[in-house]
Amino acid sequence: MEYKQVILVRMDLDLSIGKLAAQVSHASLDAALAAKKDTMIEWRKNGAKKVVLQVADLDELNEYKKKADAAKIANAIITDAGHTEIPAGTTTCLAIGPDKEAEINKITGSLRML
Amino acid sequence: MEYKQVILVRMDLDLSIGKLAAQVSHASLDAALAAKKDTMIEWRKNGAKKVVLQVADLDELNEYKKKADAAKIANAIITDAGHTEIPAGTTTCLAIGPDKEAEINKITGSLRML
């Protein structure tokens, strides 16, 4: 069984690469810690596959959050404290999984990689 | 007490933004899980501060790995499986901490943010 995690990033924010990578890491860690422990262990044993995907804006991000919740897949949405590049309270990205790759693909299979 | 994690990324690899963010997330998660549990909890309670920093190449990355080991700060170095953009076995980044911000700064305080 293949496991993966995807992290969806808003493309309408003008984040620096470093800031974007930090936000993706926040989402990844929070969702990983929200996953079932067995799933997390299995995922990490096989390389902890992570794929970063593009969404256009906040509306699209929220749509995928609803789909992940409906499918009962662990997920984490990140709202930045806004100390640096963007206003406080800006939602930047959403991690979905780790979970079975086939289940994740049902939700985000049509999104483009970043 | 302020806690943070830094993630050092090699600037001599031509990684896409998505690939870079995924590599940073691998390092961040591995080092977070290698940290003492109390440190991890304290760090996350205060926003799990993460800063992405630049290093020139593998030699510089390895230097910082040695310094982190010598200071007994939890860290994780990531070597990519090479399924996609880069040859298998390419070391891409290094996460140091979470640990006390002052201790981390002693090691990486002079590095530039990405």
Side-chain angles (χ1 to χ4, degrees):
Chain A
M1 189 74 75
E2 293 268 324
Y3 287 82
K4 80 170 171 184
Q5 180 185 62
V6 294
I7 307 102
L8 283 54
V9 182
R10 282 177 63 181
M11 290 293 98
D12 61 329
L13 300 173
D14 194 24
L15 300 174
S16 69
I17 298 176
K19 179 85 185 177
L20 186 150
Q23 296 288 312
V24 167
S25 299
H26 284 310
S28 173
L29 178 62
D30 284 2
L33 294 175
K36 287 187 191 127
K37 199 159 183 189
D38 288 355
T39 300
M40 161 99 143
I41 289 168
E42 202 57 37
W43 171 63
R44 294 189 72 227
K45 211 189 287 176
N46 291 288
K49 184 173 181 182
K50 297 178 185 77
V51 181
V52 182
L53 301 171
Q54 309 180 26
V55 292
D57 53 25
L58 182 59
D59 285 348
E60 199 179 357
L61 201 76
N62 283 332
E63 259 176 54
Y64 284 97
K65 164 79 176 144
K66 277 184 205 155
K67 288 179 188 175
D69 285 341
K72 294 188 169 44
I73 296 178
N75 64 82
I77 200 158
I78 298 299
T79 298
D80 193 64
H83 296 305
T84 50
E85 295 176 23
I86 46 178
T90 303
T91 297
T92 56
C93 55
L94 165 71
I96 302 176
D99 209 318
K100 296 185 187 82
E101 180 149 26
E103 296 304 311
I104 303 265
N105 287 349
K106 279 183 202 165
I107 299 177
T108 61
S110 66
L111 290 176
R112 287 179 55 202
M113 284 179 67
L114 178 61
Chain B
M1 188 75 76
E2 293 268 326
Y3 287 82
K4 80 170 171 185
Q5 180 185 61
V6 293
I7 306 102
L8 283 54
V9 181
R10 283 176 64 182
M11 291 292 100
D12 61 331
L13 300 174
D14 193 25
L15 300 174
S16 69
I17 298 175
K19 179 87 184 174
L20 186 149
Q23 296 290 311
V24 167
S25 299
H26 283 310
S28 174
L29 178 62
D30 284 2
L33 295 176
K36 287 187 191 130
K37 198 159 183 189
D38 289 356
T39 300
M40 161 97 144
I41 289 167
E42 202 58 38
W43 171 62
R44 294 189 72 224
K45 209 189 289 175
N46 290 288
K49 184 173 181 181
K50 299 178 184 75
V51 181
V52 182
L53 302 171
Q54 308 181 27
V55 293
D57 53 25
L58 181 60
D59 285 348
E60 199 180 356
L61 201 75
N62 283 332
E63 259 177 53
Y64 283 97
K65 165 80 178 144
K66 277 185 206 154
K67 287 179 188 176
D69 285 341
K72 296 186 170 44
I73 295 178
N75 65 79
I77 200 158
I78 297 299
T79 299
D80 192 64
H83 297 304
T84 50
E85 295 177 22
I86 47 178
T90 303
T91 297
T92 56
C93 56
L94 166 71
I96 303 176
D99 209 320
K100 296 185 188 80
E101 180 148 24
E103 296 304 313
I104 303 265
N105 286 349
K106 279 183 201 166
I107 299 176
T108 60
S110 66
L111 290 176
R112 287 180 56 204
M113 284 177 68
L114 176 61

